[in-house]
Amino acid sequence: MALDASTPVPVVDGSTITREEFQRLYYKPQKPVVLRGLWKQYPAYTKWTMDFFRQSMGNIEVGLYGNRKEDLSKTLQVPNAVMRFDEYLNLIEREPTDLRLFLFPVFKHKPELLKDFEYPKIASGYIKIPFMFFGPSNSIVRMHQDIDMSNVFLTQFHGRKRVVLFAPDQSELLYRLPFNVHSTVDVDHPDYAEYPGLNYVKGMSTVIEHGDTIFMPSGYWHHIEYLDGGFGLSVRTLPYGLSMKAKGLWNLTVQRTTDNIMRKLNDEKWFDYKKKLAYKRADKIIQGLSVA
Ligand SMILES: O=C(O)CCC(=O)C(=O)O
């Protein structure tokens, strides 16, 4: 049985919600929400189609990453394939593959696209480096937290995506790998015997489609499944609160450097050590829960 993520993410009308409402109800309490139609006000909403990207930048070469095959001990660094962008778009429209275009810096290739939208006024403190994500149907973005602990606004332009979220206070029960922002847990086919902490986690889920923006607060775990071939864009704001800011900074500096060095020294042993530590931390929480 899949992890309990039966609570639906609330949905509000993103074209009418005020900054005051969003801040009070979602941003400050750090609660996820789907902002339906938030991007309808910007030209990108209708302009950014598969054909638009095919025609305007189809000739560039893109690095693509595999789906579930990647070793969990690795972070995504070396692409599994390189292809022309228009060929890739044809491929994901045509058939399921396992190749995703992840953290695509589309604006480096085409800075004029930045004129097609504004950063939504319901928030401030934007980190002005937006990224795009493209993927085929059935592809999975395995469960992770964003390393900088930023607040994420992920907008969908084409196709549907299922998004599963868990709050950051469930990290230990999700067997977060130390020195890392990934979990080894498979959300849809979890092994409860190996990971008993999963009996105690409770998440949320939703499906987003063209025009929907999902707000994922700082440190939220997300698992994403492409129900159709499609693409989206994420913009981020600085992590919420001092402790998330400190955590983001720590992750980007000390944690990442340590993890990279140790992986170079002995990847397998380091991965085993991290896994053992993750089990130990989860067991401690489970014991506390059984006593309570
Ligand atoms: O939509 C995707 O493919 C991944 C998005 C994601 O993981 C993120 O914005 O952090």
Side-chain angles (χ1 to χ4, degrees):
M1 194 180 44
L3 289 190
D4 181 359
S6 51
T7 305
V9 179
V11 180
V12 298
D13 185 343
S15 58
T16 55
I17 191 168
T18 64
R19 179 184 166 96
E20 187 280 320
E21 282 166 341
F22 175 67
Q23 293 283 326
R24 176 168 48 86
L25 298 173
Y26 303 105
Y27 199 75
K28 290 190 177 148
Q30 290 282 281
K31 289 200 157 83
V33 64
V34 174
L35 300 148
R36 187 146 283 161
L38 177 68
W39 273 58
K40 273 193 179 157
Q41 55 189 315
Y42 308 130
Y45 176 72
T46 44
K47 185 171 165 188
W48 292 3
T49 60
M50 296 285 252
D51 276 343
F52 170 74
F53 284 108
R54 241 187 306 256
Q55 279 151 24
S56 60
M57 47 195 300
N59 60 342
I60 66 166
E61 295 238 297
V62 292
L64 305 164
Y65 296 88
N67 198 0
R68 282 175 185 261
K69 287 181 197 139
E70 67 224 9
D71 182 339
L72 281 167
S73 73
K74 310 272 189 304
T75 44
L76 299 170
Q77 277 167 351
V78 184
N80 300 128
V82 175
M83 202 180 280
R84 266 178 66 115
F85 191 33
D86 52 2
E87 281 171 20
Y88 176 64
L89 294 176
N90 293 343
L91 182 71
I92 63 173
E93 247 181 357
R94 202 175 54 229
E95 61 193 72
T97 80
D98 68 346
L99 295 172
R100 283 184 296 113
L101 181 50
F102 197 70
L103 289 173
F104 182 42
V106 71
F107 306 97
K108 261 195 192 165
H109 297 281
K110 235 178 158 33
E112 60 269 36
L113 293 186
L114 289 169
K115 293 196 195 119
D116 292 344
F117 70 94
E118 284 170 31
Y119 289 88
K121 296 195 173 44
I122 54 171
S124 34
Y126 285 101
I127 303 163
K128 295 198 169 172
I129 313 173
F131 288 109
M132 294 199 79
F133 301 86
F134 291 75
S137 65
N138 296 328
S139 59
I140 303 275
V141 182
R142 70 180 205 239
M143 191 158 60
H144 66 282
Q145 296 174 296
D146 283 3
I147 190 163
D148 59 0
M149 298 284 136
S150 52
N151 293 284
V152 181
F153 295 81
L154 179 66
T155 300
Q156 192 64 2
F157 287 90
H158 184 87
R160 297 162 308 144
K161 256 178 205 167
R162 175 173 167 253
V163 183
V164 177
L165 300 174
F166 291 93
D169 63 3
Q170 301 187 60
S171 295
E172 273 73 28
L173 292 171
L174 290 167
Y175 296 79
R176 179 181 76 81
L177 291 173
F179 298 95
N180 203 298
V181 284
H182 288 99
S183 157
T184 49
V185 165
D186 180 338
V187 169
D188 289 320
H189 309 98
D191 184 339
Y192 289 97
E194 175 151 8
Y195 302 106
L198 300 180
N199 289 298
Y200 302 91
V201 298
K202 246 185 172 325
M204 305 174 96
S205 57
T206 192
V207 173
I208 58 170
E209 49 191 73
H210 183 200
D212 291 346
T213 300
I214 184 163
F215 167 60
M216 304 190 280
S218 286
Y220 255 75
W221 290 90
H222 41 291
H223 159 99
I224 295 176
E225 189 181 334
Y226 284 70
L227 301 178
D228 310 300
F231 64 92
L233 166 124
S234 81
V235 298
R236 287 144 211 273
T237 65
L238 290 173
Y240 187 76
L242 259 186
S243 76
M244 277 295 179
K245 283 190 179 70
K247 179 110 191 59
L249 196 63
W250 169 268
N251 287 353
L252 285 166
T253 53
V254 182
Q255 176 174 291
R256 185 152 69 177
T257 312
T258 312
D259 198 39
N260 283 343
I261 293 173
M262 295 307 287
R263 279 183 20 224
K264 271 196 193 117
L265 290 177
N266 191 333
D267 199 11
E268 220 167 290
K269 241 183 163 171
W270 177 236
F271 184 55
D272 284 347
Y273 168 75
K274 288 192 292 188
K275 265 180 85 170
K276 272 196 195 120
L277 210 55
Y279 287 123
K280 217 165 142 182
R281 288 177 178 172
D283 285 347
K284 204 168 152 198
I285 304 271
I286 297 167
Q287 273 167 23
L289 289 170
S290 333
V291 170

